[in-house]
Amino acid sequence: MPVFYGKDIPSRLMLGTAQYPSPAILAEAFRQSGAGIATVSLRREAGGERAGQAFWSLIEELGVAVLPNTAGCHSAREAVTTARMARELFETNWIKLEVIGHADTLQPDPFGLLEAAAQLCAEGFEVFPYCTEDLVLCERLVEAGCKVLMPWGAPIGTGLGLNNIYGLRSLRAHFPDIPLVVDAGLGLPSQAARAMELGYDAVLLNTAVARAGDPVAMARGFARAVEAGALAAKADPMDPRDMAAPSTPVLGKAFL
């Protein structure tokens, strides 16, 4: 199971908490998924009046680790300010760092992301950066102090799966000792399984479960897919071949 900043996580599946049809469905989806981490946007809470107290109580009842995020931030300054507020409110140094650079694709701004990551790491935050699969950017994030990387599979909410298998595989090979999480773009359990087969440590998703016709069933499906993919990676799967190879030995077969 993954270890993030020294903390053992009991599941390779991480879930977001937005867009569910009801709090009851959110809670049951989490239970069925076995997810070990819930991502929560600061915008769901009000620092002074605690207007989101009912929601926060629900998350606490789930008994999972909370990963606050800076969703919706479009500059390093905005993300850093949001992260500081999140640390005070949620009483954790963990922060999922998002600095959005493109309004249509929600692609991270690599320059703002690196600037914010360096500042937050210097302030003692344990940063989970939402990034692309760009190798140079990821190297700079690690140099800045990030001990986890969260490259996207595809743009947030698209369900397109893993758009750049080569890039994701290259990251895994280049950072064998850094926990890697595919974050965003997964739409089907099979896509999550594929991420695990590439050797990734976990996947993070929200829309695929929350917006499914049956979120609870979809959560259960992702839980099983992630486990299957992790087992496949651990089992050292066979390499693909260009030619067919008989599974039944020809030696000793009678020829008529």
Side-chain angles (χ1 to χ4, degrees):
M1 291 301 176
V3 179
F4 299 140
Y5 290 101
K7 182 178 178 63
D8 293 319
I9 306 301
S11 170
R12 299 183 185 276
L13 181 59
M14 305 159 65
L15 282 183
T17 54
Q19 305 183 61
Y20 289 83
S22 71
I25 291 177
L26 183 157
E28 187 58 24
F30 262 84
R31 294 187 188 98
Q32 293 297 321
S33 72
I37 292 177
T39 60
V40 180
S41 171
L42 180 65
R43 287 163 176 77
R44 285 184 168 271
E45 292 283 338
E49 299 177 359
R50 303 280 290 181
Q53 185 62 53
F55 174 81
W56 179 231
S57 296
L58 172 63
I59 298 302
E60 287 184 311
E61 290 173 4
L62 295 176
V64 298
V66 174
L67 176 60
N69 68 40
T70 63
C73 292
H74 291 263
S75 70
R77 180 179 180 181
E78 184 182 8
V80 168
T81 299
T82 302
R84 290 169 178 164
M85 294 170 62
R87 177 158 65 178
E88 180 178 348
L89 181 62
F90 295 107
E91 299 180 342
T92 178
N93 286 325
W94 279 16
I95 191 72
K96 180 191 172 187
L97 181 61
E98 296 184 24
V99 182
I100 301 302
H102 194 276
D104 291 334
T105 64
L106 301 180
Q107 178 170 325
D109 172 0
F111 309 103
L113 179 66
L114 183 56
E115 178 185 347
Q119 184 168 347
L120 291 172
C121 287
E123 294 182 12
F125 281 89
E126 296 173 328
V127 179
F128 295 67
Y130 163 61
C131 57
T132 63
E133 69 279 14
D134 184 278
L135 181 58
V136 176
L137 170 61
C138 288
E139 283 186 329
R140 298 294 183 270
L141 289 168
V142 171
E143 290 169 1
C146 297
K147 296 182 180 180
V148 177
L149 295 171
M150 303 181 72
W152 67 351
I156 294 172
T158 62
L160 292 173
L162 307 181
N163 278 354
N164 186 358
I165 295 290
Y166 169 79
L168 293 172
R169 184 184 289 117
S170 296
L171 279 187
R172 181 70 284 174
H174 193 77
F175 297 105
D177 300 320
I178 298 290
L180 299 180
V181 181
V182 169
D183 175 17
L186 300 180
L188 291 170
S190 58
Q191 296 164 354
R194 182 64 176 127
M196 303 310 299
E197 290 166 359
L198 293 175
Y200 275 65
D201 297 275
V203 296
L204 171 56
L205 54 114
N206 188 162
T207 309
V209 170
R211 303 298 293 175
D214 186 340
V216 175
M218 187 63 79
R220 192 181 305 120
F222 269 101
R224 294 177 179 178
V226 167
E227 181 65 19
L231 287 171
K234 187 176 181 180
D236 189 19
M238 62 174 284
D239 293 325
R241 300 168 174 160
D242 292 328
M243 299 287 291
S247 57
T248 302
V250 176
L251 186 65
K253 179 180 177 182
F255 288 91
L256 303 177

